[in-house]
Amino acid sequence: MVNTMAVKFSTKGYNVGTIEISTKLDESEAKNVGLESDMDMIKMLATTGFCKMKFTVAGTPDDVYDIGVLLSDSGDTVEFGAVTYTSDGPVAISGSFAIASHKLTCAVSVDALTS
């Protein structure tokens, strides 16, 4: 069976879970990335408080992230966040998973950290 979903989960090779999103995310809107039932796996990963995430944020050029994020189950949503270093300097990444119209959505924000 071929997985055609935009969100994929894995624990192979790591002692923590991985969420891989193939849909290119946009900072201006939440995107559909999976099924409503996928939220169960994300909530399970959130009980550990940490996972790896792989995703792309649309831009010129696109920004590709493969980072560790902190997770927090907030009831209807699961929030995530991290600070990482890019070629443009350090950035804060925050986002959330939610259910909208029986689909799993993901919203993300990337903010430059300046002194």
Side-chain angles (χ1 to χ4, degrees):
M1 178 177 207
V2 175
N3 182 0
T4 59
M5 295 308 306
V7 64
K8 183 171 69 173
F9 305 101
S10 173
T11 57
K12 184 177 180 181
Y14 303 102
N15 59 353
V16 296
T18 298
I19 300 171
E20 186 171 345
I21 301 171
S22 61
T23 300
K24 194 179 297 183
L25 301 176
D26 188 333
E27 285 194 71
S28 65
E29 66 180 290
K31 292 275 187 127
N32 289 339
V33 296
L35 302 174
E36 184 173 20
S37 59
D38 292 328
M39 183 63 109
D40 294 336
M41 177 62 88
I42 291 172
K43 284 182 171 281
M44 185 199 68
L45 291 172
T47 62
T48 69
F50 179 82
C51 78
K52 286 183 53 101
M53 278 185 70
K54 297 177 182 181
F55 60 95
T56 301
V57 177
T60 309
D62 293 344
D63 294 318
V64 179
Y65 297 96
D66 184 357
I67 59 173
V69 298
L70 298 175
L71 297 168
S72 177
D73 185 347
S74 300
D76 292 339
T77 63
V78 172
E79 298 166 345
F80 62 89
V83 173
T84 191
Y85 194 82
T86 69
S87 59
D88 294 328
V91 295
I93 297 171
S94 59
S96 63
F97 291 100
I99 302 299
S101 301
H102 302 288
K103 301 280 186 183
L104 177 69
T105 63
C106 182
V108 67
S109 178
V110 179
D111 297 298
L113 297 175
T114 57
S115 54

